[in-house]
Amino acid sequence: MPSWRPPGYRRLPRWGKILYALAGVAVLVAVGVIGGSTVGKPDTCHDGIEKTGGECIGVDGAGYDFGTPEISAVAKAIAAENNRIAKQPHVTVAMMLPLQSDMPALRRQMRSDLQGAYLGQRQANSGEGQVPKIRLVLANPGRNYGHQDQVVSTLLDMAHSDKDKLRAVTGFNLTLETTEKAVERLTENGVPVLASRISGDGIANVDGKNQRFPGLARIIPTNGNAARALANFNGARGREDARTVLVYDTRPDAYDESLARAFRGIKETGPAGPDDMSFTSPGIDEPGSTGSQFEQIANNICGSAADTVYFAGRTLHLRIFALTLARQTCANRHFTLVSGSDAASLRQAMSEKDWAQLRGEDGRAKVTVQYAAPAHPAAWNTELAAWTKRFKATHHREPTANELPQYLAEPKAALDALDDLIRSTGKAGTDLGSIPNLEDSRTMLVYDGLVTIGTALHEVQGKDAEQAPSLADVGQEWSKLQSVHRVRGTSGLICLTNGGNPYDKPVAVVELNPGQGVRGALKFVGLGWPTGKEQPKNCVIPSGTS
């Protein structure tokens, strides 16, 4: 028997039922009731961290790892230190750098950076009665700083918050247009920035001129200074035109452009050598067609007399080019590739197969990569041993402690203190995800950055421990950190000019040599000085520099 139907009832066709159901869903969406959630509420990864384009963007100081397990332990260690100093007078410092990646090597680099940040925070917070303490927060702007605008807005709010009292932003590990925009917006709004790892000349104030980035300080030499330091170190070999060639990336990239410009600025001698050779990559960590481009470039270099190649490109492409050049049969010639600070990450990306290819069938190195590292843990012991040997040869006795040069002895003492801190941290059971490896310079540079910020904060604090220093006080303090107030960094003495630039900061000239073993060696070979000579006593900056 058919069931009862109201008067005028007509059975809807199937498509009508579908439309009716969709209309019902639309009504529910309109009133904001689907699964108990509110329409318009942003998707989140964690409290205060928004999910934007598949990335977790925002600022956190409570131990969140942004979905990157490699940094989980060190993020929790930073949170524990924040809790330890929470009831003492403190200000906030933000560590801004991309904190997510699909590439294991990049995630390990993030861990190295954050290990340096934690250790620097601990060092800055040591000392009874030394205030303000540093509360450290992690700021993830996304891959290649793609969402920096969102994060900078949060940091500006924190800078003007009586609760957060943000007084400096550090980090910045990539020289990109987006990085430049972030630094520019922060500084034009009065927030001091200390850049620990960007080497591009475009994100720097020009000494003696109006400051484009008021309140910016840097502790790493620019690409221009690093190129001069390399040229000074290599002497005639790196200046002989016929034996040198520049290979550069044409993709718009502030680091690559700055490095190419710096290499072109090296004054060369003798007959003309091969013209510059270009390639085009699709992105920082994308190979694209660079392999085939490099085959042609390597062939052309083989047809010239060049054996020193200045390479202005990112680490991924440097690796591909080095392996391509090693495959050439150029009458068994040996090549030296010279590059900038980004190459400090190259060793982590090398496989045993890569090392074997650089070595060649006869076991001898076909290609050696040389670069200007911002720091290396072997620098100070090696240089002090060489200096002491020369002293003994002329004085026929051991030098006293007071006779040792400050530019070597003081950084060595700073590095010894960092080594002690790493050991004590381990003994205390603090997990940092791994034992910090200082060879890639990341941990050392970021550590020096936090120590420099801590020095500035303590210098401007004054007698009123309860009153946090102002943003302007901190920004104006950078240029005071010289001479008597120099910072003893593990990467060298940090003496800042009026433009916030490190005066004559040395670079560690490092060679990645395939050697004879299964894996190659990263060897410190000497210090390079941008001015051609060591920093003056007490790091007194000569007049006319700024």
Side-chain angles (χ1 to χ4, degrees):
M1 171 184 276
S3 59
W4 179 85
R5 302 283 191 274
Y9 169 82
R10 280 193 310 130
R11 182 183 297 275
L12 287 171
R14 185 172 182 181
W15 60 265
K17 291 180 180 180
I18 294 172
L19 290 176
Y20 187 81
L22 290 175
V25 173
V27 170
L28 290 174
V29 171
V31 298
V33 185
I34 289 186
S37 64
T38 303
V39 171
K41 182 179 179 181
D43 193 6
T44 59
C45 299
H46 185 72
D47 291 343
I49 307 295
E50 291 188 15
K51 192 167 189 177
T52 306
E55 296 185 281
C56 298
I57 307 301
V59 181
D60 180 85
Y64 178 57
D65 64 8
F66 295 87
T68 302
E70 283 85 349
I71 68 171
S72 294
V74 68
K76 291 175 182 176
I78 289 170
E81 177 65 8
N82 290 343
N83 290 333
R84 187 185 72 82
I85 57 94
K87 294 183 179 179
Q88 301 179 58
H90 66 272
V91 298
T92 300
V93 172
M95 178 75 180
M96 185 172 175
L97 76 165
L99 292 172
Q100 290 177 280
S101 175
D102 295 330
M103 300 177 67
L106 291 182
R107 296 197 298 268
R108 291 193 294 271
Q109 291 170 23
M110 294 170 195
R111 181 172 60 201
S112 292
D113 284 334
L114 295 191
Q115 288 172 341
Y118 168 75
L119 293 165
Q121 178 193 23
R122 282 283 309 277
Q123 182 64 26
N125 286 347
S126 65
E128 292 298 325
Q130 193 151 270
V131 293
K133 306 297 185 184
I134 290 178
R135 169 182 172 253
L136 188 62
V137 297
L138 308 183
N140 181 27
R143 183 186 180 200
N144 295 337
Y145 293 80
H147 301 289
Q148 57 82 21
D149 192 63
Q150 178 181 335
V151 172
V152 168
S153 293
T154 300
L155 296 177
L156 292 179
D157 289 341
M158 293 173 66
H160 296 99
S161 162
D162 290 336
K163 176 185 177 183
D164 292 307
K165 296 190 287 287
L166 178 77
R167 290 299 176 264
V169 181
T170 188
F172 301 107
N173 61 337
L174 292 171
T175 302
L176 301 168
E177 184 179 347
T178 45
T179 320
E180 186 174 335
K181 288 180 178 178
V183 173
E184 187 169 35
R185 187 173 166 215
L186 286 165
T187 54
E188 71 183 6
N189 282 279
V191 177
V193 170
L194 186 134
S196 54
R197 290 201 56 83
I198 46 177
S199 57
D201 294 69
I203 311 179
N205 292 318
V206 178
D207 290 324
K209 296 184 179 180
N210 291 333
Q211 296 186 6
R212 180 186 170 193
F213 306 100
L216 169 66
R218 307 163 47 95
I219 61 169
I220 182 174
T222 61
N223 284 332
N225 280 331
R228 283 188 285 275
L230 281 169
N232 291 331
F233 178 83
N234 285 318
R237 186 190 74 176
R239 297 180 185 276
E240 191 176 335
D241 200 351
R243 296 182 60 186
T244 62
V245 62
L246 170 64
V247 175
Y248 68 98
D249 195 345
T250 62
R251 176 180 56 83
D253 182 298
Y255 169 83
D256 295 345
E257 293 165 357
S258 173
L259 190 58
R261 189 165 52 248
F263 285 148
R264 289 191 187 102
I266 296 174
K267 294 180 179 179
E268 295 183 314
T269 61
D275 196 12
D276 298 349
M277 302 183 188
S278 66
F279 68 96
T280 304
S281 71
I284 289 178
D285 51 9
E286 300 174 60
S289 66
T290 54
S292 60
Q293 296 179 65
F294 288 153
E295 286 285 351
Q296 298 173 65
I297 292 173
N299 286 337
N300 288 336
I301 292 174
C302 277
S304 75
D307 56 12
T308 298
V309 182
Y310 289 107
F311 188 89
R314 294 288 183 172
T315 300
L316 172 67
H317 310 118
L318 174 62
R319 172 182 165 272
I320 297 171
F321 180 71
L323 295 173
T324 303
L325 191 59
R327 287 198 298 269
Q328 305 304 308
T329 55
C330 305
N332 296 320
R333 281 158 59 192
H334 172 268
F335 292 95
T336 299
L337 299 187
V338 182
S339 197
S341 60
D342 197 64
S345 306
L346 180 59
R347 189 187 188 197
Q348 294 187 24
M350 296 287 289
S351 67
E352 291 182 8
K353 182 179 178 182
D354 292 340
W355 288 115
Q357 188 166 321
L358 292 187
R359 196 175 297 122
E361 294 182 1
D362 60 0
R364 294 186 299 175
K366 298 185 71 176
V367 174
T368 298
V369 179
Q370 183 190 91
Y371 62 90
H376 192 278
W380 313 119
N381 278 334
T382 303
E383 291 292 305
L384 272 171
W387 184 93
T388 300
K389 184 178 180 179
R390 292 192 299 269
F391 181 94
K392 290 169 66 176
T394 56
H395 294 74
H396 308 293
R397 63 176 177 82
E398 291 282 346
T400 66
N402 289 334
E403 290 173 318
L404 295 176
Q406 290 174 323
Y407 61 85
L408 298 178
E410 291 183 353
K412 180 185 182 303
L415 182 60
D416 289 345
L418 173 57
D419 285 335
D420 289 343
L421 181 56
I422 291 172
R423 283 192 290 270
S424 65
T425 297
K427 288 181 180 179
T430 302
D431 183 9
L432 298 182
S434 68
I435 298 174
N437 183 347
L438 305 184
E439 279 199 345
D440 69 356
S441 77
R442 290 178 175 273
T443 300
M444 292 171 66
L445 259 291
V446 177
Y447 170 87
D448 283 354
L450 265 293
V451 169
T452 301
I453 292 171
T455 302
L457 289 169
H458 300 149
E459 291 284 354
V460 301
Q461 178 61 67
K463 296 180 180 179
D464 189 353
E466 297 302 322
Q467 182 66 39
S470 69
L471 291 164
D473 286 341
V474 178
Q476 292 167 6
E477 182 61 24
W478 299 141
S479 63
K480 313 293 191 303
L481 301 181
Q482 56 171 287
S483 188
V484 174
H485 299 288
R486 63 190 177 276
V487 178
R488 284 80 169 170
T490 63
S491 58
L493 296 181
I494 298 167
C495 327
L496 299 179
T497 65
N498 286 331
N501 298 308
Y503 175 70
D504 199 22
K505 182 82 181 295
V507 299
V509 182
V510 175
E511 289 185 350
L512 200 64
N513 197 303
Q516 298 293 325
V518 176
R519 297 190 65 81
L522 186 66
K523 182 181 179 183
F524 169 78
V525 293
L527 289 178
W529 301 90
T531 66
K533 58 183 179 181
E534 302 86 357
Q535 292 162 311
K537 185 177 180 180
N538 292 333
C539 211
V540 176
I541 299 175
S543 63
T545 300
S546 298

